[in-house]
Every structure is written in structure tokens, then in C-alpha cells.
Amino acid sequence: MSAFPNAETRSLRADLHELERFCIEALSAAGADAGSASSAARAMVHGARLGIDSHGVRLLPHYVRAIEGGRVKGKPVLRFLWETPAIAVLDAGNSHGARAAYMAMDKAMAMAQVTGIGAVSIRNTSHFGAAGAYALAAAEQGYVGFAFCNSDSFVRLHGGAERFHGTNPIAMAAPVAGSDPWLLDMATSAIPYNRVLLYRSLGVPLPDGVASDGDGLDTHEAGAVEMLAPLGGLFGHKGAGLAGMVEILSAVLSGMRLSQDIAPMGGPDFATPREMGAFVMALRPSAFVTEAEFAAAMVRYLDGLRSSRTVQGGSVLAPGDREWREAGLRARLGAPIDPETWTAFGELAARLGVRGLSTRPPAEAAE
Amino acid sequence: MSAFPNAETRSLRADLHELERFCIEALSAAGADAGSASSAARAMVHGARLGIDSHGVRLLPHYVRAIEGGRVKGKPVLRFLWETPAIAVLDAGNSHGARAAYMAMDKAMAMAQVTGIGAVSIRNTSHFGAAGAYALAAAEQGYVGFAFCNSDSFVRLHGGAERFHGTNPIAMAAPVAGSDPWLLDMATSAIPYNRVLLYRSLGVPLPDGVASDGDGLDTHEAGAVEMLAPLGGLFGHKGAGLAGMVEILSAVLSGMRLSQDIAPMGGPDFATPREMGAFVMALRPSAFVTEAEFAAAMVRYLDGLRSSRTVQGGSVLAPGDREWREAGLRARLGAPIDPETWTAFGELAARLGVRGLSTRPPAEAAE
């Protein structure tokens, strides 16, 4: 099941390279410099490739609007305010979130190459996109990567009846020799809001303990959802605690806005920078063990995991397994484009004067 | 409700200093050197002080047995194998887990003092005790502390029917100006096994989705529990993913045993070292923002959290709030000693020739 409700229900698909081309050209036409356009496109195509369509190319119209409005600077000045051999503070100059995050992770890796670890606190950034994109960027270079970002309030506390934390993701990726990386990218809410939208569109009741009405009470009715529940159900203090971990790393350590103080992603104000913080970190495995030891232990861990006994008729997956399988499919078939995004892309192409997105004919049966 | 079922149901209590004295003398008599005895006692008294009785002084007889058996070296040789300005690798020489973890966190803080961050991978350690003890040690010195350790398999995967991960805790602590630290210390299972024991002793059914029978199926019967469920219920892939984060940091990065390969804590072999790994990290807030900015943001965050609207009749707590309240109570009343532990302490005192634990008379009504 895709995270984004529309994605798998339509047959319109586009090649990933063509999607990247379209995103870059649209962002450039809207005023983004080359670094911003390519970083934002890379992060969106990460989502489109791995089936995380909530953070895929459907974000493009939003990002164009944020750049045109001035909330996000198309030509930001990013600079490292200070650094040690293992930490740095990046003032992103209200850049696109992906521009800042990839730059910060590059720095973290460069420090980890020398020192074994690198951590970068990011100031004055904006919507993060898929946190896993930046953790993965580290794993692709042989590092263990971490990425954290808070976001505008949408998740109640355990026992709470008010939006407090953002969905505050935790992402971690680790390289696996000869295979795709281990990749964890999770909101600290029980489910993402897009899952609520899926239940709404399907007209089926929500599971217990995932979302609440305006009084903080569990609701099974997707249309009544006013806030999300923290991960953990009866033990939601753990999900809320993890959201707090993300809040402290992202906002408190950067001096940027707490979730409760971040202007809503959806506007109406698209002119004022959102003053968000984020935190990324890279570890170099060979600073701790030999490359061969690390590789062998990851393989042993994953072999053990994938062969662990399952409930009857069930299956077990490592973080990322589902996504890499989807990526394999999408490399062949292209990524699905939901109708709303397809319409918005047509309007963007016309208005910005860029070549429209080429799509494939409806795909043959995808397994 | 205390994490340990017996703790609050009996009135026998002991002063925290007296508990520490007894632990140190018993461990010393069993063959522990001064550093090992004081570290192990400190970690147990952390549990006894904060109401985490599952990781409190009830562990003393186990630790004495591990030292006497040779699994844990009473007089270990600990040495840093190598280091950079921000990471170090500690070979703990099969020391007590607390001896290694406090020493590693001291090193992490010393590196963070200079470089802003310090991370230490620990090799050849043993039972970790309460992970929060080491994170707290950092917060007490003004650092943001993290501690991770895997443990012998007891938690199934999401969709799994076999013990795979340990309860693999995540601990983080952050200093709060003029107040007790923010303190998260959570197993990545839905509940700790001691909670299962509590339900068993109370004879009440378990909640949904917290523990499973031998086929990996949800059970409400505490007596039928063969494994714990990962945090998250229907979204247990998140809890299992977090357990994997701990596994990679603790075991893979240290070259030590995966949870599936760790000899059971309970023996019967108490002679062979368990070859466990762990990972601790410290961040210095003033490397990222000014001390005043960090302090103000933590206070604003916690004020917002504690005043967040609650469900009718409910309450919201920051991580650690419950524990600090309990610590206040126990500073006055002493920590409760469950009958089994009391009996074991008497036997230890007689056998090891140390002065028995002084207890207080049954406490007056503790609210």
C-alpha cells in the first residue's frame, strides 16, 4: 500500500529522470538557483522513486509557490557560521529544506571522513521533505546517516487534546555491502496524515488509537480527524518522547522555532520565512570497526531478520525493504502521478514556460 | 504505577545512601574493584531513586552472581583502543556494564567539551542496566546525552513469531536550567517484561498488541507470553525499526554480538563473558547555540508541553516528569524493597560478610 492514496490507483506514470528534469526546470523558472533546484528535485524524486509519494513530486507546486512568495529564497546565501572537527552550524539563509540538508550532510560526511563523526545543526531552513533522503545520501557514500526535523504542530501529546509536536521524523540509513541500504524513515506519529486521507477516500474506519477529534479523543472517522496520535497507542508517551528528541535536536539546538511556533506549511502566508531548524549526522563505520566487520555484521543482522519466523501467512521486513522493492518496480514502470498533481504540473508548465512532463502510456500490469 | 510490580505494594523501604552503601559493599566482597562497585551501585540506585525498580537494586544478586561466576570481571582492564577528537572505542574488558558506560560517557563529555560532540563505542561489556542512567550523567554535567544498548532476544519483529531483538532501549537526556533534566528512557518494545509480570501478579488481562504467545499471536494472558511486541501495535514496524537503530549502533558498530547471539541474561552459564556492545554520545549545547538560548528554548518547550490542553480528566507529562516526582518522594521515604530482594539481600549479607541493609519502619502514607 502506497503512503499516498492516489498514487497506485491511476495508471499515468513518468520516468524518474523525466520527473527530475521537470522539477528542476520548473523550480529554475520560478527563481531557484541550480543548487536549490537540483537538491529539491533530488529529494522529491527520492520520494517518487521509493514510493513515498506523500513526499514525492506532489510537493513541486507547493515549493514553486514558496519560492515565488519569498518564504523560500530561490537564490539563498548558505554559510557555515562556525565549526569544529566534528560539528558545524549551517545558516541556510532561508533556502529550500533539501538544499540545506544535502549541504549539511555533505559537511557531516566530510567531518566523519576525518574524525569518524560529523553533526550539523541547520538554521533558517524550510520544509524538510523526506528525511530519509538525507540519511540515504550518507549511506550511499558508506556512512551511517541520521536526519531529524521538526515541523508545524499536528500531533497531540499522550493524554493531550491539542496539536503540539509536528510529525517530527527520525531517519537513519546504514550501508549494506552489495545491496540497498538499511533505511528507516518514520514519523513519530502513529500514522502520517496522508494515511488518514487514504482511509477517508476509501471510506473505511481508522484503526484504534491513531487519530483524534478536536477533544483529543480517539476517532475512527477520517473526516473528524483534528490531530494525530503519537506512536505507541496506549504507550504513546514513547512516541511523544521520540518527537521530543527530534524537537530538541532540530529546534532547541538550532535556536529555531518549536513545532508549536512554526507557521503552517499550507499558508496563507507564503512570504515570511518559517525559521525552521534541522539536524543531520554521519558516522563513518571504519572509525569504529573494520569495513569487513561492519559489512559482515550488517549482512548477518539482515539475514537473521529476514529469516526470522513469521506469524502464519505473515512476513517480516527490514526498514527499507518495501521501499527498495517499489523502487525496482518504478525503475521499470516509472512513478505514478496522481490526477491532482498531473493537473498542477500542466498549469505550472504553461505558466512558467517549461516543457510539460512526458508521461508513459498506461503501464502493463505491475505484477 | 511502578514499573516493578512488587515495589509499591510493600512498606519496607531503605534510604538511597544506605542502598548504595550496601550495593558497594556486597559487590566489593564479591570481588569488584572500587570503580566497578561504585558504578554498578550508582546505576542501580538511579533505578531505585527514579522508580525504575526493574533496573534498581533487585539486580544486585544477579550482578554478584555474574562477578562470582566470572561472566563479569570484578577487576577489569578497560582501555581505549583508539580515538579521534570526537569518537573513541572502549574495550571494557568484560567489565560490569555500568563501569563501562559511565567511563565511556565521561570520555564522550570530555570530547564534547572540546569538539562539541563525542561518541564512544563500547566493546566487551555486559548487562547495561538502566540506559537513562548514563544519558542522565551527561545532562547533569550540562550535555545532551544519549545511550543505546542491545540485549538478548525477547521482542518479535512486526509480523514475526520469534524472539529477535532485545528490548533495545533508547535513552536521551537534556539539561533544563533550574530544574531536573528532560529524561527519555524507553524500551523499543511496547512494554517491558516486568509490566507483563505485573499483569500476571494482578491477574488482569494484558492490553491489545503488547505481547505474544509462542506463535507470535497477540495474547491477553500474561502467563502465555513468550515474546514481547515491538512498540507501535499495528505500526510495529516502527518499533522494530527503532530496535534496529539500537542494534546497529550497539552491536554492528562495535563488532559485538547481535541480540539473537547474546547468551541469556539469566544463565545458566555465568562463567562466559557475554561479549555485548553499547554506544553512548554527548553533545555540548553551547557548541551549537548560546547557553542562554538553549536554556530558554528548553524552558519554552517544556512550558508549552506541560500546559498543552489535555483530554478531559487527563494529564500530559514530559519524559522524566513521573520519575522526578517519584524521586522526590523517595528522597523522603526511601526506596521500596520488594520481599524477594529483601530476602536475597539478607542471604548476600550473611554469605559475603557485609553489614545487612538497614531499613526504615513502614512509611507513613505515601500520598
Side-chain angles (χ1 to χ4, degrees):
Chain A
M1 169 167 37
S2 166
F4 185 67
N6 296 314
E8 295 300 337
T9 58
R10 310 287 167 151
S11 55
L12 205 60
R13 288 179 179 262
D15 279 322
L16 295 166
H17 288 106
E18 168 63 1
L19 277 170
E20 188 164 18
R21 192 273 310 163
F22 183 74
C23 289
I24 288 175
E25 290 189 9
L27 290 163
S28 301
D33 59 20
S36 297
S38 66
S39 294
R42 181 181 172 191
M44 285 187 278
V45 171
H46 165 90
R49 180 162 77 108
L50 271 69
I52 312 161
D53 291 306
S54 58
H55 291 74
V57 294
R58 67 177 278 271
L59 290 169
L60 179 63
H62 171 81
Y63 288 156
V64 165
R65 190 174 177 188
I67 290 170
E68 290 180 334
R71 167 195 279 186
V72 169
K73 301 300 170 209
K75 297 176 173 61
V77 177
L78 298 97
R79 64 198 179 102
F80 289 99
L81 299 180
W82 59 84
E83 62 187 86
T84 76
I87 73 106
V89 174
L90 173 63
D91 186 330
N94 302 308
S95 76
H96 188 280
R99 173 76 178 105
Y102 281 121
M103 184 175 178
M105 189 57 95
D106 281 345
K107 182 75 173 183
M109 288 190 277
M111 294 188 294
Q113 180 56 35
V114 176
T115 316
I117 192 170
V120 178
S121 170
I122 308 172
R123 301 179 173 191
N124 295 310
T125 185
S126 191
H127 185 257
F128 205 48
Y134 319 115
L136 178 60
E140 285 173 344
Q141 301 295 318
Y143 298 86
V144 178
F146 298 83
F148 307 90
C149 188
N150 69 328
S151 52
D152 44 312
S153 295
F154 203 61
V155 185
R156 64 169 172 78
L157 292 163
H158 188 58
E162 186 176 16
R163 297 179 180 190
F164 184 71
H165 287 120
T167 49
N168 291 14
I170 293 175
M172 173 178 172
V176 181
S179 180
D180 293 312
W182 182 93
L183 175 58
L184 177 70
D185 183 0
M186 54 169 270
T188 51
S189 53
I191 55 170
Y193 185 60
N194 284 296
R195 191 64 64 88
V196 175
L197 295 179
L198 173 62
Y199 280 91
R200 183 186 296 178
S201 81
L202 296 175
V204 295
L206 290 164
D208 285 339
V210 301
S212 310
D213 64 15
D215 291 323
L217 300 176
D218 222 29
T219 181
H220 297 98
E221 204 182 315
V225 171
E226 285 293 326
M227 62 196 81
L228 300 174
L231 176 68
L234 284 170
F235 312 94
H237 60 285
K238 296 191 178 187
L242 291 167
M245 170 188 286
V246 176
E247 195 83 16
I248 292 169
L249 288 172
S250 304
V252 176
L253 270 188
S254 68
M256 292 289 108
R257 290 185 182 271
L258 299 169
S259 293
Q260 66 206 62
D261 298 326
I262 297 175
M265 180 184 173
D269 178 3
F270 273 87
T272 310
R274 293 170 80 207
E275 298 177 351
M276 293 174 68
F279 187 87
V280 302
M281 187 169 78
L283 300 175
R284 177 167 52 83
S286 62
F288 297 92
V289 286
T290 67
E291 300 235 8
E293 285 170 332
F294 183 84
M298 281 302 297
V299 165
R300 178 166 174 76
Y301 172 60
L302 288 170
D303 284 352
L305 191 159
R306 295 194 181 111
S307 64
S308 189
R309 192 174 158 232
T310 67
V311 291
Q312 202 171 3
S315 64
V316 291
L317 293 174
D321 281 358
R322 183 190 303 275
E323 288 76 13
W324 292 120
R325 183 169 153 275
E326 184 68 22
L329 212 61
R330 292 186 175 198
R332 284 192 289 118
L333 302 174
I337 311 295
D338 68 89
E340 198 177 304
T341 297
W342 171 246
T343 304
F345 278 18
E347 289 165 4
L348 281 182
R351 184 166 66 76
L352 297 170
V354 304
R355 180 160 58 82
L357 184 75
S358 297
T359 55
R360 294 179 166 203
E364 273 76 51
E367 46 185 283
Chain B
M1 170 169 34
S2 167
F4 186 68
N6 296 315
E8 296 299 337
T9 59
R10 312 286 168 151
S11 54
L12 204 62
R13 288 179 179 263
D15 278 324
L16 294 166
H17 287 107
E18 168 62 2
L19 277 171
E20 188 165 17
R21 192 273 311 162
F22 183 74
C23 288
I24 287 175
E25 290 188 8
L27 290 163
S28 301
D33 59 20
S36 297
S38 66
S39 294
R42 181 180 172 193
M44 285 186 277
V45 171
H46 165 90
R49 180 163 77 108
L50 272 68
I52 310 161
D53 290 307
S54 58
H55 291 74
V57 293
R58 69 177 278 272
L59 289 169
L60 179 64
H62 171 82
Y63 288 156
V64 165
R65 187 173 179 190
I67 290 170
E68 290 179 333
R71 167 194 279 186
V72 169
K73 301 298 169 212
K75 296 176 174 60
V77 178
L78 298 97
R79 62 195 182 105
F80 288 99
L81 299 180
W82 57 83
E83 62 186 87
T84 75
I87 72 107
V89 174
L90 173 63
D91 186 329
N94 303 308
S95 76
H96 188 280
R99 172 76 178 105
Y102 281 122
M103 184 174 177
M105 188 58 94
D106 281 345
K107 181 76 172 181
M109 288 190 278
M111 295 188 292
Q113 180 57 33
V114 177
T115 316
I117 191 170
V120 178
S121 170
I122 308 172
R123 300 180 175 191
N124 295 310
T125 184
S126 191
H127 186 256
F128 205 49
Y134 319 115
L136 178 60
E140 286 174 344
Q141 301 295 320
Y143 298 87
V144 178
F146 298 82
F148 307 89
C149 189
N150 68 328
S151 51
D152 44 313
S153 294
F154 203 61
V155 185
R156 64 168 171 78
L157 292 163
H158 187 57
E162 187 176 14
R163 297 178 179 190
F164 184 71
H165 287 121
T167 49
N168 292 15
I170 293 174
M172 173 178 171
V176 180
S179 181
D180 293 313
W182 181 94
L183 176 59
L184 177 70
D185 183 1
M186 54 171 270
T188 50
S189 52
I191 56 171
Y193 185 59
N194 284 297
R195 191 65 64 88
V196 174
L197 295 179
L198 173 62
Y199 279 91
R200 183 186 295 177
S201 82
L202 296 175
V204 295
L206 290 164
D208 285 338
V210 302
S212 309
D213 65 16
D215 292 322
L217 300 176
D218 222 29
T219 180
H220 297 99
E221 204 182 317
V225 171
E226 285 293 327
M227 61 196 82
L228 301 174
L231 176 68
L234 283 170
F235 311 95
H237 60 285
K238 296 190 179 189
L242 291 167
M245 170 188 286
V246 175
E247 195 83 15
I248 292 169
L249 288 172
S250 304
V252 176
L253 270 188
S254 67
M256 292 289 108
R257 289 186 182 270
L258 300 169
S259 292
Q260 67 205 61
D261 299 326
I262 297 174
M265 179 182 173
D269 178 3
F270 273 86
T272 310
R274 293 170 81 208
E275 299 178 349
M276 293 175 65
F279 186 88
V280 302
M281 186 169 78
L283 300 175
R284 176 167 52 83
S286 62
F288 296 92
V289 287
T290 67
E291 300 234 8
E293 285 169 332
F294 182 84
M298 281 303 296
V299 165
R300 178 167 174 74
Y301 172 60
L302 288 170
D303 283 352
L305 191 159
R306 296 192 181 111
S307 63
S308 188
R309 192 175 159 231
T310 68
V311 291
Q312 203 172 2
S315 65
V316 291
L317 294 173
D321 281 357
R322 182 190 305 274
E323 287 77 15
W324 292 120
R325 183 169 154 276
E326 185 67 22
L329 212 62
R330 292 186 176 197
R332 283 192 289 118
L333 302 174
I337 310 294
D338 66 89
E340 197 177 306
T341 297
W342 172 246
T343 304
F345 278 17
E347 290 165 5
L348 281 182
R351 183 165 68 77
L352 297 170
V354 304
R355 179 160 58 83
L357 184 75
S358 297
T359 55
R360 294 178 167 203
E364 273 75 52
E367 38 191 285

